[in-house]
Amino acid sequence: GPATAARFESPHGVAAHPDGRIAVCEAAANTIRLLTPTDGGWQVSTLAGTYDASGLRDGPCEQALFDAPHAVAWGPDGSLYVADIGNHRLRRIHEGRVETVAGTDDKGDDDGDAATGTLAWPMDIALDSDGAVWIADAGEAKLRRWHPDEGLTTPFAGQRLAMPHGIAVTPAGHLAVAEMYGHRILRIDPRTGEVATYCGTTEEGIGEGQLHKPAAVLAHAGRLWIADLANHRIVTAPLAP
């Protein structure tokens, strides 16, 4: 109903569409909610999933099941991608239906198509200009990439990250990664895997230049916006080229 009367249960990931709609992962209720702008306010509805019923089921949105959906990202064609963390899958909502595009019943880091590629605790997702979905695969401590023409891949197979928890694509095309246990935000070149540090150090803290378990990152308006989880604050930092 109206946003002033609507209720949520553990809202987690959010994604804004250019038309003003905002998708929300309601992790504890296993649903995907939608805020739609109206004259003078917002209307809240359930886009997909069944309230308080966890599980795995593709199909019509009203019949689909999720297990602790953690992050969402809009695709260029209006699709909504969902990091379904409890099911170790990447799901896609399009034209009233939910489908699984990556992940199986097995946790792992196998590359492959929808039937063979595996994930483990996909924490966050972000789309690049090629239409690929980059996945912060926390369970495997790696970055994964899914593209409709290529399936699930591991571009930097030998790279291990200290709990990749949040991910964003910058205007320059770099990957900004919130490395939770590394207490920093990394800049990763999506072509080579070269790693640099935007901000933070390997030491947790709240002092100058320090972070403590950064959980999410957003590139917006020339800056990085960071959810500095254990310090209970939002931090901004310049977005270097």
Side-chain angles (χ1 to χ4, degrees), residues 17 21 73-81 92-95 127 148:
H17 191 275
R21 291 176 296 159
W74 292 100
D77 63 350
S79 296
L80 184 67
Y81 292 91
R92 177 177 181 254
I93 302 173
H94 185 61
E95 296 182 346
L127 271 84

Side-chain angles (χ1 to χ4, degrees), residues 2 8 11 50 61 112 121 156 165 168 177 182 194 204 217 221 238:
F8 292 85
T50 302
C61 283
W121 304 109
F156 323 120
H165 200 282
V177 179
E194 181 181 357
E204 65 187 51
V217 61

Side-chain angles (χ1 to χ4, degrees), residues 84-105:
D84 190 3
I85 189 171
N87 284 317
H88 313 290
R89 284 167 165 84
L90 177 66
R91 316 281 292 280
R92 177 177 181 254
I93 302 173
H94 185 61
E95 296 182 346
R97 297 186 65 84
V98 178
E99 63 175 334
T100 296
V101 298
T104 71
D105 288 337

Side-chain angles (χ1 to χ4, degrees), residues 35-211:
L35 282 76
T36 303
T38 61
D39 291 337
W42 298 81
Q43 187 76 9
V44 178
S45 60
T46 298
L47 177 63
T50 302
Y51 172 74
D52 216 22
S54 65
L56 174 66
R57 184 163 63 214
D58 289 337
C61 283
E62 63 275 13
Q63 299 175 17
L65 293 177
F66 296 86
D67 188 355
H70 205 263
V72 281
W74 292 100
D77 63 350
S79 296
L80 184 67
Y81 292 91
V82 182
D84 190 3
I85 189 171
N87 284 317
H88 313 290
R89 284 167 165 84
L90 177 66
R91 316 281 292 280
R92 177 177 181 254
I93 302 173
H94 185 61
E95 296 182 346
R97 297 186 65 84
V98 178
E99 63 175 334
T100 296
V101 298
T104 71
D105 288 337
D106 297 321
K107 290 191 297 181
D109 61 354
D110 294 327
D111 295 341
D113 58 21
T116 60
T118 57
L119 296 164
W121 304 109
M123 284 284 182
D124 198 11
I125 53 178
L127 271 84
D128 65 17
S129 59
D130 293 329
V133 182
W134 287 88
I135 305 164
D137 191 336
E140 293 295 333
K142 297 177 180 179
L143 295 186
R144 313 292 300 283
R145 183 180 184 270
W146 177 86
H147 189 279
D149 297 331
E150 303 167 16
L152 186 64
T153 59
T154 309
F156 323 120
Q159 185 184 80
R160 302 284 291 181
L161 303 175
M163 180 62 77
H165 200 282
I167 189 168
V169 177
T170 74
H174 293 119
L175 305 174
V177 179
E179 191 183 36
M180 177 175 277
Y181 292 164
H183 311 293
R184 56 184 180 165
I185 307 299
L186 303 178
R187 184 184 71 188
I188 299 178
D189 188 319
R191 298 161 300 177
T192 66
E194 181 181 357
V195 178
T197 300
Y198 275 121
C199 58
T201 71
T202 56
E203 297 294 329
E204 65 187 51
I206 200 170
E208 182 75 21
Q210 289 185 310
L211 299 169

